[in-house]
Amino acid sequence: MRQKIVAGNWKMNKTLQEGVELAKGVNDILSKNAPKCTVILGTPFIHLTEVVKTVDSKLIKVSAENCADKESGAYTGEVSAAMVKSTGAEYVILGHSERRGYYGETYEILKEKVKLALANGLKVIFCIGESLEEREANKQNAVVKAELEGSVFNLTADEFSKIVIAYEPIWAIGTGKTATSDQAEEIHAYIRSVIADKYGKQVAENTSILYGGSCKASNAKELFAKPDIDGGLIGGASLKPADFYGIIEAYN
Ligand code: PGA
């Protein structure tokens, strides 16, 4: 069976001290209430080392939110996949719509990032999803297919098995507007069919596809009950231990 995953994406929130407190808070709750899914905390780069030290690795995995598209060298301010890996983090979120939209990350750039992340032993949470305009024009399927083809369908089946997909409709991110569980299931099933066409049914069946976009305790259970939704990528509701646990609890 494929993995069920609840992953937090802190984005650009929390000082180092606040982040350690948050990680500690989540860890405390989970040490008393063992999660029935894989729990991942996605944190800013500077938090990674301390968060890795703070949490019980049997309960919580740690993820970066980005990594460089270059291996090493004169790229001031960048953080490489090897550096992320050296903190003890196991995952990296790539292709988030905020990175694509605000920082101009193209299919080609993301293809390099994914390649370097995998080469350095990181697993990738690869985000895809359409804008409101694209949804209104009924182009959502074409958009997610192109995003997969543009950045991850160059991988071998073995490499692709290290990828978790996160479907995040841009119109639902941070807006309080969630896709309905039926809307989400429809496109998740489509994404799985595209993966099956490329890599075969077995690989597609083993791929975890997370939903992201205003996912919270009150809607997680209904979303996660859908056959092709394997968990969530959580922004706002990952910033308080109780809110985040409310989503993890959907699997209990
Ligand atoms: P949100 O963000 O839960 O705050 O909508 C999700 C994300 O961007 O990963």
Side-chain angles (χ1 to χ4, degrees):
M1 258 314 272
R2 55 182 173 261
Q3 241 184 332
K4 304 296 182 191
I5 299 172
V6 173
N9 174 14
W10 293 359
K11 309 193 180 185
M12 196 174 74
N13 291 296
K14 305 290 175 188
T15 63
L16 176 59
Q17 292 75 19
E18 290 165 351
V20 169
E21 275 311 298
L22 173 53
K24 211 161 162 283
V26 176
N27 194 73
D28 283 350
I29 298 178
L30 296 186
S31 61
K32 292 177 203 109
N33 308 275
K36 300 235 167 45
C37 59
T38 299
V39 175
I40 303 172
L41 297 180
T43 87
F45 291 129
I46 63 144
H47 299 58
L48 292 172
T49 308
E50 288 302 317
V51 170
V52 166
K53 280 194 239 163
T54 300
V55 301
D56 177 347
S57 63
K58 288 190 291 299
L59 297 173
I60 298 174
K61 312 292 178 201
V62 180
S63 176
E65 300 173 12
N66 183 25
C67 71
D69 62 338
K70 304 287 193 301
E71 206 164 328
S72 67
Y75 301 100
T76 302
E78 287 294 299
V79 175
S80 72
M83 292 173 190
V84 169
K85 178 72 179 174
S86 72
T87 66
E90 291 178 46
Y91 288 82
V92 59
I93 298 167
L94 292 174
H96 193 283
S97 57
E98 288 152 16
R99 301 291 322 169
R100 293 178 193 261
Y102 303 148
Y103 301 98
E105 296 194 359
T106 61
Y107 295 172
E108 278 306 311
I109 290 172
L110 288 170
K111 192 193 232 176
E112 289 307 308
K113 291 189 176 199
V114 169
K115 209 168 78 187
L116 287 166
L118 296 178
N120 283 283
L122 292 168
K123 286 174 237 165
V124 173
I125 300 171
F126 187 73
C127 305
I128 57 178
E130 80 287 355
S131 66
L132 182 59
E133 207 183 1
E134 289 161 340
R135 164 74 56 169
E136 283 171 347
N138 202 28
K139 287 187 183 148
Q140 63 274 15
N141 286 8
V143 170
V144 296
K145 185 171 189 220
E147 287 175 333
L148 292 170
E149 287 174 345
S151 306
V152 293
F153 276 3
N154 57 303
L155 301 173
T156 64
D158 190 45
E159 289 168 333
F160 191 82
S161 70
K162 312 273 185 337
I163 306 274
V164 171
I165 301 294
Y167 167 69
E168 300 202 305
I170 299 168
W171 48 272
I173 295 176
T175 58
K177 217 170 155 183
T178 325
T180 65
S181 56
D182 287 336
Q183 259 176 338
E185 169 58 21
E186 188 182 8
I187 191 155
H188 278 234
Y190 172 74
I191 292 164
R192 200 177 303 287
S193 77
V194 172
I195 296 168
D197 287 346
K198 172 70 187 171
Y199 291 107
K201 201 162 176 355
Q202 199 52 53
V203 171
E205 280 303 314
N206 290 337
T207 302
S208 298
I209 307 178
L210 315 184
Y211 170 79
S214 299
C215 184
K216 43 190 180 287
S218 59
N219 58 27
K221 213 170 183 145
E222 187 185 336
L223 285 160
F224 299 174
K226 293 291 181 187
D228 288 293
I229 302 180
D230 305 309
L233 180 57
I234 320 299
S238 73
L239 296 174
K240 286 188 187 146
D243 292 354
F244 192 50
Y245 179 66
I247 298 170
I248 294 165
E249 215 184 6
Y251 277 119
N252 287 18

